[in-house]
Amino acid sequence: MTSIGFRPTAEDERILRESARPGESTSDTLRRALRLLDHEHWLEQLRIDAERIQDEDINAEPEAW
């Protein structure tokens, strides 16, 4: 497994301090933030796909069965 070094700026430290849940380590906070970022990316892809197929009419497609 790869270890990642991180030297937080003053702004990073403020965000970490304000975002940490009680009893949560900095690593836990960063992991939670990465998962949120991944989820946001997933949602953005969902929005892009929904926009791309917004005019698609599945009722016009032939039955597959």
Side-chain angles (χ1 to χ4, degrees), residues 9-54:
T9 64
E11 180 68 5
D12 296 334
E13 288 180 352
R14 180 194 64 77
I15 292 168
L16 286 167
R17 191 174 46 256
E18 292 176 4
S19 300
R21 293 176 177 166
E24 186 175 58
S25 70
T26 300
S27 293
D28 292 337
T29 304
L30 289 171
R31 283 185 188 100
R32 187 166 47 84
L34 285 171
R35 283 165 182 76
L36 286 169
L37 182 61
D38 185 54
H39 184 70
E40 283 296 317
H41 176 65
W42 181 83
L43 287 174
E44 181 60 25
Q45 288 302 121
L46 179 69
R47 288 182 197 105
I48 290 168
D49 290 343
E51 186 176 313
R52 181 179 50 80
I53 64 170
Q54 69 182 350

